[in-house]
């Protein structure tokens, strides 16, 4: 028979699970190429959670290449300004970029250059021969390249975009973006667009070692965070069912709560959220209804199970595999929905109080538990196929 644990002990377990999840994030390295003034810094800062490309912060690592990174951030951006220089200087930069790619390739895969964003200002309405030639030279480097058309005011395909498509350039995709809203006049502002497509296209091209780091730090595509979090959730649901294959004595409910704590920690990391003891404590207390009593493991599981139709109270009994999987799924889905709402509010400059978030969490859990729905709300219309499961062992 397992001992129960206090809320403080559960929070400590949550913290260590969070740190472990952070240590497994990996690393993503993005090389950004383009002329000075094309909008690379704006693009980088609009995509990533931390403002990496602040003026003067980049560390020069060779002529024409600067490295942007921040402590505890698993993203490194290499920037190559100066393509408006003379032919001899451009050749030096090209050679240095080639050397950077080759040198990084000799290191651990997490140090490789994982993707290249080649930026051209859409308003220039032309691609120069030196740029076209460089794209062809980089094709042999075996690093995926996305051609990013910056400062694209219209979402409709322009003649320039169509021209680039017909050139059959050696790039994976051509993506027009407007990184930040631009005020045309006092009556009209062009909204930001295209960043979600750039993020999704980049994710598809990244190796496994870089995917989680990229998803964690990007803020332009919340759906991508949700999708990865759902894959982790699916793995923990399967794990819960296995735990319950030999029905778990209810006295050992804390074992199940420990697994769910690790699940919540991984989802928190994927959304790029810091570990906030007050936030996690409020969520767990809201579910348990204990308000911080000395033993919460069984209390939380009791309250979770009560909301699942047909599961009963299991007092004095055992938790079946189906019940364990159902409450883990509902708990994970509710938590993902809360983090989605929180992040969207932040991006829109709005604030959600802790009270609002905890209330949303409980209501979401009750809704998922009682309805038996197995997908996130945004996905219910499309009825997607179950995603590939991620191994959590």
């Amino acid at each position: 028979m397992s001992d129960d644990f206090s809320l403080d002990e559960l929070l400590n377990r949550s913290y260590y699970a969070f740190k472990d999840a952070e240590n497994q994030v990996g690393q993503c390295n993005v090389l950004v190429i383009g002329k000075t003034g094309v909008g690379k810094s704006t693009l980088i800062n609009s995509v990533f959670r931390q403002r990496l490309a602040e003026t003067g912060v980049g560390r020069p690592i060779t002529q024409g290449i600067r490295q942007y990174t921040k402590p505890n951030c698993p993203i490194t951006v290499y920037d190559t300004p100066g393509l408006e220089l003379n032919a001899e200087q451009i050749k030096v930069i090209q050679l240095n970029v080639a050397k950077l790619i080759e040198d990084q390739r000799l290191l651990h895969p997490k140090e490789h250059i994982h993707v290249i964003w080649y930026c051209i200002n859409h308003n220039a309405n032309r691609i120069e021969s030196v740029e076209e030639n460089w794209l062809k030279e980089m094709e042999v480097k075996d690093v995926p390249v996305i051609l990013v058309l910056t400062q694209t005011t219209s979402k409709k395909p322009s003649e320039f975009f169509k021209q680039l498509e017909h050139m059959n350039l050696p790039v994976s995709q051509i993506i027009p973006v407007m990184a930040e809203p631009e005020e045309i006049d006092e009556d009209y502002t062009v909204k930001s667009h295209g960043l979600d497509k750039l993020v999704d296209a980049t994710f598809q091209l990244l190796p496994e070692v870089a995917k989680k780091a990229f998803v964690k730090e990007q803020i332009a595509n919340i759906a991508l965070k949700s999708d990865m979090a759902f894959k982790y959730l699916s793995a923990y649901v399967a794990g819960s069912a296995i735990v319950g294959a030999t029905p778990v004595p209810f006295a050992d409910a804390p074992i199940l709560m420990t697994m769910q704590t690790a699940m919540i920690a991984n989802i928190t990391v994927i959304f790029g959220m810091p570990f906030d003891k007050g936030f996690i404590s409020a969520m767990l207390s809201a579910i348990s209804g204990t308000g911080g009593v000395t033993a919460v493991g069984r209390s939380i599981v009791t309250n979770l199970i009560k909301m699942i139709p047909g599961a009963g109270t299991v007092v004095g009994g055992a938790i079946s595999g189906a019940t364990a999987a159902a409450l883990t799924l509902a708990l994970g889905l509710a938590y993902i929905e809360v983090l989605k709402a929180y992040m969207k509010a932040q991006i829109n400059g709005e604030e959600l109080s802790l009270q609002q978030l905890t209330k949303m969490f409980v209501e979401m859990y009750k809704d998922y538990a009682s309805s038996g729905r197995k997908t996130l709300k945004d996905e219910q219309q499309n009825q997607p196929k179950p995603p590939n499961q991620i191994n959590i062992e």
Side-chain angles (χ1 to χ4, degrees):
M1 177 175 175
S2 297
D3 292 330
D4 208 340
F5 38 74
S6 68
L7 183 58
D8 282 343
E9 289 171 325
L10 185 56
L11 289 172
N12 285 335
R13 289 171 185 246
S14 299
Y15 175 75
Y16 288 118
F18 177 85
K19 297 307 291 184
D20 184 59
E22 273 201 325
N23 290 335
Q24 298 176 34
V25 160
Q27 173 71 28
C28 179
N29 306 309
V30 182
L31 174 60
V32 184
I33 298 174
K35 294 181 179 179
T36 301
V38 77
K40 290 175 295 177
S41 294
T42 301
L43 176 69
I44 294 166
N45 290 334
S46 297
V47 168
F48 295 113
R49 183 169 60 92
Q50 304 195 49
R51 294 183 65 83
L52 290 170
E54 301 287 4
T55 303
V57 173
R59 180 174 70 90
I61 59 171
T62 186
Q63 182 177 343
I65 303 177
R66 298 182 76 86
Q67 180 191 66
Y68 293 91
T69 189
K70 286 191 175 183
N72 303 316
C73 176
I75 301 290
T76 297
V77 173
Y78 295 90
D79 180 24
T80 59
L83 295 188
E84 68 282 356
L85 304 175
N86 62 50
E88 183 177 345
Q89 291 171 312
I90 290 175
K91 192 61 181 178
V92 170
I93 294 174
Q94 291 174 340
L95 291 172
N96 284 334
V97 167
K99 186 176 186 302
L100 172 68
I101 293 173
E102 293 301 328
D103 287 350
Q104 299 294 99
R105 200 191 302 274
L106 299 175
L107 303 176
H108 188 278
K110 73 176 185 179
E111 303 296 338
H112 294 180
I113 300 299
H114 299 125
V115 68
I116 297 171
W117 292 346
Y118 198 108
C119 300
I120 295 178
N121 188 328
H122 182 273
N123 296 324
N125 210 35
R126 64 190 292 264
I127 180 170
E128 297 181 14
S129 57
V130 64
E131 295 176 311
E132 186 178 351
N133 292 335
W134 196 6
L135 286 172
K136 291 177 181 177
E137 289 176 15
M138 285 193 297
E139 185 178 15
V140 301
K141 300 299 180 184
D142 199 30
V143 179
V145 179
I146 296 176
L147 184 59
V148 184
L149 298 184
T150 61
Q151 302 178 38
T152 305
T153 54
S154 175
K155 292 182 180 180
K156 295 181 181 179
S158 66
E159 289 303 316
F160 182 40
F161 174 79
K162 295 175 184 177
Q163 174 195 339
L164 291 171
E165 281 196 316
H166 290 143
M167 292 176 68
N168 293 319
L169 296 167
V171 298
S172 298
Q173 287 199 50
I174 303 171
I175 301 181
V177 303
M178 190 71 177
E180 286 186 345
E182 180 177 330
E183 184 178 336
I184 303 301
D185 55 43
E186 60 182 15
D187 297 320
Y188 181 65
T189 297
V190 178
K191 295 181 179 179
S192 172
H193 62 84
L195 293 177
D196 56 339
K197 294 180 181 178
L198 173 61
V199 165
D200 186 63
T202 300
F203 175 78
Q204 300 302 328
L205 295 170
L206 291 174
E208 286 302 317
V209 72
K211 283 183 179 291
K212 192 172 182 181
F214 181 75
V215 172
K216 171 182 180 289
E217 292 299 322
Q218 66 81 27
I219 56 172
N221 192 328
I222 305 302
L224 192 59
K225 290 181 182 288
S226 299
D227 181 62
M228 178 170 280
F230 187 75
K231 290 176 184 178
Y232 273 86
L233 167 59
S234 299
Y236 281 102
V237 169
S240 297
I242 292 171
V243 167
T246 302
V248 181
F250 185 67
D252 288 340
I255 296 174
L256 186 59
M257 194 64 230
T258 298
M259 178 178 288
Q260 292 164 346
T261 297
M263 173 190 72
I264 288 174
N266 268 282
I267 293 173
T268 304
V269 168
I270 289 167
F271 272 84
M273 304 282 288
F275 182 83
D276 187 322
K277 187 175 181 178
F279 178 78
I280 300 296
S281 175
M283 294 293 162
L284 296 177
S285 295
I287 286 290
S288 70
T290 62
V293 297
T294 56
V296 298
R298 274 171 267 176
S299 176
I300 291 174
V301 175
T302 298
N303 281 279
L304 294 177
I305 291 176
K306 285 178 181 177
M307 302 176 199
I308 298 176
T313 62
V314 301
V315 174
I319 304 169
S320 71
T323 298
L327 67 88
T328 300
L329 177 63
L331 186 69
L333 290 171
Y335 191 63
I336 292 172
E337 294 288 2
V338 167
L339 294 192
K340 282 168 55 181
Y342 177 76
M343 288 210 70
K344 288 177 180 177
Q346 276 199 323
I347 291 170
N348 293 329
E350 303 168 357
E351 286 190 17
L352 290 175
S353 68
L354 186 56
Q355 183 179 7
Q356 287 175 303
L357 292 169
T358 52
K359 181 180 179 182
M360 183 187 303
F361 183 47
V362 174
E363 290 177 349
M364 286 287 184
Y365 177 79
K366 288 180 179 179
D367 182 53
Y368 278 115
S370 61
S371 67
R373 287 199 299 270
K374 298 181 179 180
T375 59
L376 294 162
K377 290 185 178 296
D378 290 349
E379 299 168 350
Q380 288 166 10
Q381 296 292 332
N382 299 324
Q383 293 294 320
K385 295 179 181 179
N388 293 330
Q389 182 173 306
I390 292 177
N391 187 0
I392 60 173
E393 296 179 357

CSV table of all heavy atoms in Angstrom, one decimal, residues 247-299:
chain,number,residue,atom,x,y,z
A,247,PRO,N,-5.8,-3.8,-12.2
A,247,PRO,CA,-6.5,-2.6,-11.5
A,247,PRO,C,-5.7,-2.1,-10.3
A,247,PRO,O,-5.2,-2.9,-9.5
A,247,PRO,CB,-7.8,-3.3,-11.1
A,247,PRO,CG,-8.1,-4.3,-12.2
A,247,PRO,CD,-6.7,-4.9,-12.5
A,248,VAL,N,-5.6,-0.8,-10.3
A,248,VAL,CA,-4.8,-0.1,-9.2
A,248,VAL,C,-5.6,0.0,-8.0
A,248,VAL,O,-6.7,0.5,-8.0
A,248,VAL,CB,-4.4,1.3,-9.7
A,248,VAL,CG1,-3.5,1.9,-8.6
A,248,VAL,CG2,-3.6,1.2,-11.0
A,249,PRO,N,-5.1,-0.6,-6.8
A,249,PRO,CA,-5.9,-0.4,-5.6
A,249,PRO,C,-6.1,1.0,-5.3
A,249,PRO,O,-5.1,1.8,-5.5
A,249,PRO,CB,-5.0,-1.1,-4.5
A,249,PRO,CG,-4.1,-2.1,-5.3
A,249,PRO,CD,-3.9,-1.4,-6.7
A,250,PHE,N,-7.2,1.4,-4.9
A,250,PHE,CA,-7.5,2.9,-4.7
A,250,PHE,C,-6.5,3.5,-3.8
A,250,PHE,O,-6.2,4.7,-3.9
A,250,PHE,CB,-8.9,3.1,-4.3
A,250,PHE,CG,-9.2,4.6,-4.2
A,250,PHE,CD1,-9.3,5.4,-5.4
A,250,PHE,CD2,-9.4,5.2,-3.0
A,250,PHE,CE1,-9.5,6.7,-5.3
A,250,PHE,CE2,-9.7,6.6,-2.9
A,250,PHE,CZ,-9.7,7.3,-4.1
A,251,ALA,N,-6.0,2.7,-2.8
A,251,ALA,CA,-5.1,3.2,-1.9
A,251,ALA,C,-3.8,3.7,-2.6
A,251,ALA,O,-3.0,4.5,-2.1
A,251,ALA,CB,-4.7,2.2,-0.8
A,252,ASP,N,-3.5,3.1,-3.8
A,252,ASP,CA,-2.3,3.5,-4.5
A,252,ASP,C,-2.6,4.5,-5.6
A,252,ASP,O,-1.8,4.6,-6.5
A,252,ASP,CB,-1.7,2.2,-5.2
A,252,ASP,CG,-1.1,1.3,-4.2
A,252,ASP,OD1,-0.8,1.8,-3.1
A,252,ASP,OD2,-0.9,0.1,-4.5
A,253,ALA,N,-3.7,5.2,-5.4
A,253,ALA,CA,-4.0,6.3,-6.4
A,253,ALA,C,-2.9,7.3,-6.6
A,253,ALA,O,-2.7,7.9,-7.7
A,253,ALA,CB,-5.3,7.0,-6.0
A,254,PRO,N,-2.1,7.6,-5.6
A,254,PRO,CA,-1.0,8.5,-5.8
A,254,PRO,C,0.0,8.1,-6.9
A,254,PRO,O,0.6,9.0,-7.5
A,254,PRO,CB,-0.3,8.5,-4.4
A,254,PRO,CG,-1.4,8.3,-3.4
A,254,PRO,CD,-2.3,7.3,-4.1
A,255,ILE,N,0.1,6.8,-7.2
A,255,ILE,CA,1.0,6.3,-8.2
A,255,ILE,C,0.5,6.9,-9.6
A,255,ILE,O,1.2,7.4,-10.4
A,255,ILE,CB,1.0,4.8,-8.3
A,255,ILE,CG1,1.6,4.2,-7.1
A,255,ILE,CG2,1.7,4.3,-9.6
A,255,ILE,CD1,1.5,2.7,-7.0
A,256,LEU,N,-0.8,6.9,-9.8
A,256,LEU,CA,-1.4,7.4,-11.0
A,256,LEU,C,-1.3,9.0,-11.0
A,256,LEU,O,-1.0,9.5,-12.1
A,256,LEU,CB,-2.9,7.1,-11.0
A,256,LEU,CG,-3.7,7.4,-12.3
A,256,LEU,CD1,-3.1,6.8,-13.5
A,256,LEU,CD2,-5.2,7.0,-12.1
A,257,MET,N,-1.4,9.6,-9.9
A,257,MET,CA,-1.3,11.1,-9.8
A,257,MET,C,0.1,11.5,-10.2
A,257,MET,O,0.4,12.5,-10.8
A,257,MET,CB,-1.6,11.6,-8.4
A,257,MET,CG,-1.8,13.1,-8.3
A,257,MET,SD,-3.2,13.6,-9.3
A,257,MET,CE,-2.5,15.0,-10.2
A,258,THR,N,1.1,10.7,-9.8
A,258,THR,CA,2.5,10.9,-10.1
A,258,THR,C,2.7,10.9,-11.6
A,258,THR,O,3.4,11.8,-12.2
A,258,THR,CB,3.5,9.9,-9.5
A,258,THR,OG1,3.3,10.0,-8.0
A,258,THR,CG2,4.9,10.2,-9.8
A,259,MET,N,2.1,10.0,-12.3
A,259,MET,CA,2.2,9.9,-13.8
A,259,MET,C,1.6,11.1,-14.4
A,259,MET,O,2.1,11.7,-15.4
A,259,MET,CB,1.6,8.6,-14.3
A,259,MET,CG,1.6,8.5,-15.8
A,259,MET,SD,0.9,7.0,-16.4
A,259,MET,CE,2.2,5.8,-16.0
A,260,GLN,N,0.4,11.5,-13.9
A,260,GLN,CA,-0.3,12.7,-14.4
A,260,GLN,C,0.5,14.0,-14.1
A,260,GLN,O,0.4,14.9,-14.9
A,260,GLN,CB,-1.7,12.7,-13.8
A,260,GLN,CG,-2.6,11.6,-14.3
A,260,GLN,CD,-3.8,11.4,-13.5
A,260,GLN,OE1,-3.9,11.9,-12.4
A,260,GLN,NE2,-4.7,10.6,-14.0
A,261,THR,N,1.2,14.0,-13.0
A,261,THR,CA,2.0,15.2,-12.7
A,261,THR,C,3.1,15.3,-13.8
A,261,THR,O,3.4,16.5,-14.2
A,261,THR,CB,2.7,15.0,-11.3
A,261,THR,OG1,1.6,15.0,-10.4
A,261,THR,CG2,3.6,16.2,-11.0
A,262,ALA,N,3.7,14.2,-14.2
A,262,ALA,CA,4.8,14.3,-15.2
A,262,ALA,C,4.2,14.7,-16.6
A,262,ALA,O,4.8,15.5,-17.3
A,262,ALA,CB,5.4,12.9,-15.4
A,263,MET,N,2.9,14.3,-16.8
A,263,MET,CA,2.2,14.7,-18.0
A,263,MET,C,2.0,16.2,-18.1
A,263,MET,O,2.3,16.9,-19.1
A,263,MET,CB,0.9,14.0,-18.1
A,263,MET,CG,0.0,14.5,-19.3
A,263,MET,SD,-1.7,13.8,-19.2
A,263,MET,CE,-2.3,14.7,-17.7
A,264,ILE,N,1.5,16.7,-17.0
A,264,ILE,CA,1.3,18.2,-16.9
A,264,ILE,C,2.6,19.0,-17.0
A,264,ILE,O,2.7,20.0,-17.7
A,264,ILE,CB,0.6,18.5,-15.5
A,264,ILE,CG1,-0.8,18.0,-15.6
A,264,ILE,CG2,0.7,20.0,-15.2
A,264,ILE,CD1,-1.6,18.2,-14.3
A,265,ALA,N,3.7,18.4,-16.4
A,265,ALA,CA,5.0,19.1,-16.6
A,265,ALA,C,5.5,19.2,-18.0
A,265,ALA,O,5.9,20.2,-18.5
A,265,ALA,CB,6.0,18.3,-15.7
A,266,ASN,N,5.3,18.1,-18.8
A,266,ASN,CA,5.7,18.1,-20.2
A,266,ASN,C,4.9,19.0,-21.0
A,266,ASN,O,5.4,19.7,-21.9
A,266,ASN,CB,5.6,16.6,-20.7
A,266,ASN,CG,6.9,15.8,-20.6
A,266,ASN,OD1,7.8,16.0,-21.4
A,266,ASN,ND2,6.9,15.0,-19.6
A,267,ILE,N,3.6,19.1,-20.7
A,267,ILE,CA,2.7,20.0,-21.5
A,267,ILE,C,3.1,21.4,-21.2
A,267,ILE,O,3.1,22.3,-22.1
A,267,ILE,CB,1.2,19.7,-21.1
A,267,ILE,CG1,0.8,18.4,-21.6
A,267,ILE,CG2,0.3,20.8,-21.7
A,267,ILE,CD1,-0.6,17.9,-21.2
A,268,THR,N,3.4,21.7,-19.9
A,268,THR,CA,3.8,23.1,-19.5
A,268,THR,C,5.1,23.5,-20.3
A,268,THR,O,5.2,24.6,-20.8
A,268,THR,CB,4.1,23.1,-18.0
A,268,THR,OG1,2.9,22.7,-17.3
A,268,THR,CG2,4.4,24.5,-17.5
A,269,VAL,N,6.0,22.6,-20.4
A,269,VAL,CA,7.3,22.9,-21.1
A,269,VAL,C,7.0,23.1,-22.6
A,269,VAL,O,7.6,24.0,-23.2
A,269,VAL,CB,8.3,21.7,-20.9
A,269,VAL,CG1,9.5,21.9,-21.8
A,269,VAL,CG2,8.8,21.7,-19.4
A,270,ILE,N,6.2,22.3,-23.2
A,270,ILE,CA,5.9,22.4,-24.6
A,270,ILE,C,5.3,23.8,-24.9
A,270,ILE,O,5.6,24.4,-25.9
A,270,ILE,CB,4.9,21.3,-25.1
A,270,ILE,CG1,5.7,20.0,-25.1
A,270,ILE,CG2,4.4,21.6,-26.5
A,270,ILE,CD1,4.8,18.8,-25.2
A,271,PHE,N,4.5,24.3,-24.0
A,271,PHE,CA,3.9,25.6,-24.2
A,271,PHE,C,4.8,26.8,-23.8
A,271,PHE,O,4.5,27.9,-23.9
A,271,PHE,CB,2.6,25.8,-23.4
A,271,PHE,CG,1.4,25.3,-24.1
A,271,PHE,CD1,1.1,23.9,-24.1
A,271,PHE,CD2,0.6,26.1,-24.8
A,271,PHE,CE1,-0.1,23.5,-24.8
A,271,PHE,CE2,-0.5,25.7,-25.5
A,271,PHE,CZ,-0.8,24.3,-25.5
A,272,GLY,N,6.1,26.4,-23.4
A,272,GLY,CA,7.1,27.4,-23.1
A,272,GLY,C,6.7,28.2,-21.8
A,272,GLY,O,7.2,29.3,-21.6
A,273,MET,N,6.0,27.6,-20.9
A,273,MET,CA,5.6,28.2,-19.7
A,273,MET,C,6.7,27.9,-18.6
A,273,MET,O,7.2,26.8,-18.5
A,273,MET,CB,4.3,27.7,-19.2
A,273,MET,CG,3.1,27.9,-20.2
A,273,MET,SD,2.5,29.5,-20.3
A,273,MET,CE,1.6,29.6,-18.7
A,274,PRO,N,6.9,28.9,-17.7
A,274,PRO,CA,7.8,28.6,-16.6
A,274,PRO,C,7.1,27.8,-15.5
A,274,PRO,O,5.9,27.7,-15.5
A,274,PRO,CB,8.2,30.0,-16.1
A,274,PRO,CG,6.9,30.8,-16.4
A,274,PRO,CD,6.4,30.3,-17.7
A,275,PHE,N,7.9,27.2,-14.6
A,275,PHE,CA,7.3,26.5,-13.5
A,275,PHE,C,6.8,27.5,-12.5
A,275,PHE,O,7.6,28.2,-11.9
A,275,PHE,CB,8.2,25.5,-12.9
A,275,PHE,CG,7.6,24.7,-11.8
A,275,PHE,CD1,6.8,23.5,-12.1
A,275,PHE,CD2,7.7,25.0,-10.5
A,275,PHE,CE1,6.2,22.8,-11.1
A,275,PHE,CE2,7.1,24.3,-9.5
A,275,PHE,CZ,6.4,23.2,-9.8
A,276,ASP,N,5.5,27.6,-12.3
A,276,ASP,CA,4.9,28.5,-11.4
A,276,ASP,C,4.2,27.7,-10.3
A,276,ASP,O,3.1,27.1,-10.5
A,276,ASP,CB,3.9,29.4,-12.1
A,276,ASP,CG,3.4,30.6,-11.2
A,276,ASP,OD1,3.2,30.3,-10.0
A,276,ASP,OD2,3.2,31.7,-11.7
A,277,LYS,N,4.8,27.7,-9.1
A,277,LYS,CA,4.3,26.8,-8.0
A,277,LYS,C,2.9,27.3,-7.6
A,277,LYS,O,2.0,26.4,-7.4
A,277,LYS,CB,5.2,27.0,-6.8
A,277,LYS,CG,4.8,26.0,-5.6
A,277,LYS,CD,5.9,26.1,-4.5
A,277,LYS,CE,5.5,25.2,-3.4
A,277,LYS,NZ,6.5,25.2,-2.3
A,278,GLY,N,2.6,28.6,-7.6
A,278,GLY,CA,1.3,29.1,-7.3
A,278,GLY,C,0.2,28.6,-8.3
A,278,GLY,O,-0.9,28.3,-8.0
A,279,PHE,N,0.6,28.7,-9.6
A,279,PHE,CA,-0.3,28.3,-10.7
A,279,PHE,C,-0.6,26.8,-10.6
A,279,PHE,O,-1.8,26.4,-10.6
A,279,PHE,CB,0.4,28.6,-12.0
A,279,PHE,CG,-0.5,28.2,-13.2
A,279,PHE,CD1,-1.5,29.0,-13.6
A,279,PHE,CD2,-0.2,27.1,-13.9
A,279,PHE,CE1,-2.3,28.6,-14.7
A,279,PHE,CE2,-0.9,26.7,-15.0
A,279,PHE,CZ,-2.0,27.5,-15.4
A,280,ILE,N,0.4,25.9,-10.5
A,280,ILE,CA,0.2,24.5,-10.4
A,280,ILE,C,-0.6,24.1,-9.1
A,280,ILE,O,-1.6,23.3,-9.2
A,280,ILE,CB,1.5,23.7,-10.4
A,280,ILE,CG1,2.3,24.0,-11.7
A,280,ILE,CG2,1.3,22.2,-10.3
A,280,ILE,CD1,1.6,23.5,-12.9
A,281,SER,N,-0.3,24.8,-8.0
A,281,SER,CA,-1.0,24.5,-6.8
A,281,SER,C,-2.4,24.9,-6.9
A,281,SER,O,-3.3,24.1,-6.4
A,281,SER,CB,-0.3,25.4,-5.6
A,281,SER,OG,-1.0,25.2,-4.4
A,282,ALA,N,-2.7,26.0,-7.5
A,282,ALA,CA,-4.1,26.4,-7.7
A,282,ALA,C,-4.9,25.4,-8.5
A,282,ALA,O,-6.1,25.1,-8.2
A,282,ALA,CB,-4.2,27.8,-8.3
A,283,MET,N,-4.3,24.9,-9.6
A,283,MET,CA,-4.9,24.0,-10.4
A,283,MET,C,-5.3,22.7,-9.7
A,283,MET,O,-6.4,22.2,-9.8
A,283,MET,CB,-4.1,23.7,-11.7
A,283,MET,CG,-3.8,24.8,-12.6
A,283,MET,SD,-5.3,25.3,-13.5
A,283,MET,CE,-4.9,26.9,-14.0
A,284,LEU,N,-4.3,22.2,-9.0
A,284,LEU,CA,-4.5,20.9,-8.2
A,284,LEU,C,-5.5,21.1,-7.1
A,284,LEU,O,-6.3,20.2,-6.9
A,284,LEU,CB,-3.1,20.4,-7.7
A,284,LEU,CG,-2.1,20.0,-8.8
A,284,LEU,CD1,-0.8,19.6,-8.1
A,284,LEU,CD2,-2.6,18.9,-9.7
A,285,SER,N,-5.4,22.2,-6.4
A,285,SER,CA,-6.3,22.4,-5.3
A,285,SER,C,-7.8,22.6,-5.8
A,285,SER,O,-8.7,22.2,-5.2
A,285,SER,CB,-5.9,23.7,-4.5
A,285,SER,OG,-4.7,23.5,-3.9
A,286,ALA,N,-7.9,23.2,-7.0
A,286,ALA,CA,-9.2,23.4,-7.6
A,286,ALA,C,-9.9,22.1,-7.9
A,286,ALA,O,-11.1,21.9,-7.7
A,286,ALA,CB,-9.1,24.3,-8.8
A,287,ILE,N,-9.1,21.1,-8.4
A,287,ILE,CA,-9.6,19.8,-8.7
A,287,ILE,C,-9.9,19.0,-7.5
A,287,ILE,O,-10.9,18.3,-7.4
A,287,ILE,CB,-8.6,19.0,-9.6
A,287,ILE,CG1,-8.6,19.6,-11.1
A,287,ILE,CG2,-8.9,17.5,-9.7
A,287,ILE,CD1,-9.8,19.3,-11.8
A,288,SER,N,-8.9,19.1,-6.5
A,288,SER,CA,-9.1,18.2,-5.3
A,288,SER,C,-10.1,18.7,-4.4
A,288,SER,O,-10.7,18.0,-3.6
A,288,SER,CB,-7.7,18.1,-4.6
A,288,SER,OG,-7.4,19.3,-4.0
A,289,GLY,N,-10.3,20.1,-4.3
A,289,GLY,CA,-11.2,20.7,-3.4
A,289,GLY,C,-10.7,20.6,-2.0
A,289,GLY,O,-11.4,20.9,-1.0
A,290,THR,N,-9.3,20.4,-1.9
A,290,THR,CA,-8.7,20.2,-0.5
A,290,THR,C,-8.2,21.5,0.0
A,290,THR,O,-8.1,21.7,1.2
A,290,THR,CB,-7.6,19.3,-0.6
A,290,THR,OG1,-6.6,19.8,-1.4
A,290,THR,CG2,-8.0,17.9,-1.1
A,291,GLY,N,-7.8,22.5,-0.8
A,291,GLY,CA,-7.3,23.7,-0.4
A,291,GLY,C,-6.0,23.6,0.3
A,291,GLY,O,-5.5,24.4,1.1
A,292,GLY,N,-5.2,22.5,0.1
A,292,GLY,CA,-3.9,22.3,0.6
A,292,GLY,C,-3.8,21.5,1.9
A,292,GLY,O,-3.0,21.7,2.7
A,293,VAL,N,-4.6,20.4,2.0
A,293,VAL,CA,-4.5,19.5,3.1
A,293,VAL,C,-3.3,18.7,3.0
A,293,VAL,O,-2.6,18.7,2.0
A,293,VAL,CB,-5.8,18.6,3.3
A,293,VAL,CG1,-7.0,19.5,3.5
A,293,VAL,CG2,-6.0,17.8,2.0
A,294,THR,N,-3.0,17.9,4.1
A,294,THR,CA,-1.8,17.2,4.1
A,294,THR,C,-1.7,16.0,3.2
A,294,THR,O,-0.6,15.5,2.8
A,294,THR,CB,-1.5,16.6,5.6
A,294,THR,OG1,-2.6,15.8,5.9
A,294,THR,CG2,-1.3,17.8,6.5
A,295,ALA,N,-2.8,15.4,2.8
A,295,ALA,CA,-2.8,14.3,1.8
A,295,ALA,C,-3.7,14.6,0.7
A,295,ALA,O,-4.9,14.8,0.9
A,295,ALA,CB,-3.3,13.0,2.5
A,296,VAL,N,-3.2,14.7,-0.5
A,296,VAL,CA,-4.0,15.1,-1.7
A,296,VAL,C,-4.1,14.1,-2.8
A,296,VAL,O,-4.9,14.2,-3.7
A,296,VAL,CB,-3.5,16.5,-2.2
A,296,VAL,CG1,-3.6,17.5,-1.2
A,296,VAL,CG2,-2.1,16.4,-2.8
A,297,GLY,N,-3.1,13.1,-2.9
A,297,GLY,CA,-3.1,12.2,-4.0
A,297,GLY,C,-4.4,11.5,-4.2
A,297,GLY,O,-5.0,11.6,-5.3
A,298,ARG,N,-4.9,10.8,-3.2
A,298,ARG,CA,-6.2,10.1,-3.3
A,298,ARG,C,-7.3,11.1,-3.4
A,298,ARG,O,-8.3,10.8,-4.1
A,298,ARG,CB,-6.4,9.2,-2.1
A,298,ARG,CG,-5.8,7.9,-2.2
A,298,ARG,CD,-5.8,7.1,-1.0
A,298,ARG,NE,-4.6,7.3,-0.2
A,298,ARG,CZ,-4.4,6.8,1.0
A,298,ARG,NH1,-5.3,6.1,1.6
A,298,ARG,NH2,-3.2,7.0,1.6
A,299,SER,N,-7.2,12.3,-2.8
A,299,SER,CA,-8.3,13.3,-2.9
A,299,SER,C,-8.5,13.7,-4.3
A,299,SER,O,-9.6,13.9,-4.8
A,299,SER,CB,-8.0,14.4,-1.9
A,299,SER,OG,-9.0,15.4,-2.0
